Amino acid sequence: MRFASLYRHTILALAVAVPLSCAAADVPAASPSPANAELAQLFADDQANRNVPRGASIDWETVSVRDERREARVKQLLTADALHAGADFYHAAMILQHADTPDDYLLAHDLCVIAIGKGEARAKWLAAASLDRFLINVGRRQRYATQYETHRSYLPPRLAEVDPAVPDSLRRELGVPSLAEAKEKEATIARAFERQKAAHHQ
């Protein structure tokens, strides 16, 4: 099922022997690959469906249909070897982490790892979030405290159970808030939820 909350819910190392006569300075640096325009548009559409004006509601049924189309197209592009730039892998990962299955979340995480290797810093937080989403959906505790969930419409989203063995130092390296900050956000979400519920009943 799609993430039920207000917030919806390898590396292959190749050892290459370089002749001593070929100095590093003689090898021109590869030019960064241009971003795939179609993936960039799919990403922009994905975000636009979620960034609505304050006070406006999101029609998740409509968004879910659009998500499924975007996810299918991303997989087609991936199969066609159309992802090259770090931004391509990041854009694809963002779309796939809005999917329905643990396999899609894990694929999103893999794409983030590749994006980071290509210098895409935005993929760091998403690498943590997609892994957390995967773990929660296979019945395990999340590691980086990025995910909030609720299974009842009358209850506010709560921070999903977190593995206490993961230190804040790892969260910091991935651009993720500390555990204390995640818990503070949980409280902020709860207060906003109660205000919204009270306003609805006035």
Side-chain angles (χ1 to χ4, degrees):
M1 92 183 157
R2 298 214 167 251
F3 201 75
S5 79
L6 298 176
Y7 297 87
R8 260 203 29 155
H9 352 91
T10 334
I11 300 175
L12 178 61
L14 299 178
V16 180
V18 180
L20 294 178
S21 60
C22 181
D26 296 332
V27 181
S31 299
S33 300
N36 182 297
E38 183 180 359
L39 272 169
Q41 186 60 55
L42 290 169
F43 169 80
D45 293 343
D46 173 271
Q47 295 300 290
N49 285 167
R50 289 162 169 78
N51 297 328
V52 300
R54 182 182 294 275
S57 59
I58 297 176
D59 180 354
W60 284 119
E61 289 189 12
T62 299
V63 172
S64 293
V65 172
R66 294 172 181 170
D67 280 347
E68 290 172 3
R69 292 172 181 165
R70 283 189 287 261
E71 291 150 15
R73 182 55 181 155
V74 163
K75 290 177 181 178
Q76 290 175 344
L77 292 170
L78 183 59
T79 300
D81 195 21
L83 282 64
H84 302 290
D88 296 343
F89 290 91
Y90 170 71
H91 292 156
M94 180 64 78
I95 292 166
L96 288 178
Q97 67 98 28
H98 288 145
D100 288 329
T101 70
D103 284 346
D104 285 328
Y105 306 144
L106 191 57
L107 177 56
H109 177 73
D110 290 342
L111 295 173
C112 285
V113 171
I114 296 171
I116 293 168
K118 289 177 174 288
E120 181 53 78
R122 292 178 298 171
K124 290 185 177 181
W125 177 89
L126 189 56
S130 54
L131 181 59
D132 277 351
R133 190 162 290 189
F134 167 76
L135 291 170
I136 291 170
N137 279 267
V138 296
R140 296 182 59 183
R141 293 177 292 189
Q142 62 174 329
R143 295 176 59 78
Y144 295 105
T146 63
Q147 302 296 302
Y148 300 79
E149 61 181 358
T150 183
H151 302 290
R152 298 288 186 274
S153 61
Y154 55 85
L155 294 175
R158 301 295 301 271
L159 183 65
E161 189 176 1
V162 180
D163 184 346
V166 178
D168 279 341
S169 58
L170 292 187
R171 296 186 179 93
R172 184 172 61 249
E173 291 296 329
L174 290 172
V176 175
S178 68
L179 182 56
E181 289 170 326
K183 291 179 178 179
E184 182 178 334
K185 180 179 178 180
E186 178 185 54
T188 299
I189 291 173
R191 289 193 294 270
F193 184 90
E194 291 303 323
R195 287 196 300 270
Q196 185 180 23
K197 187 166 67 172
H200 180 72
H201 286 89
Q202 285 181 349

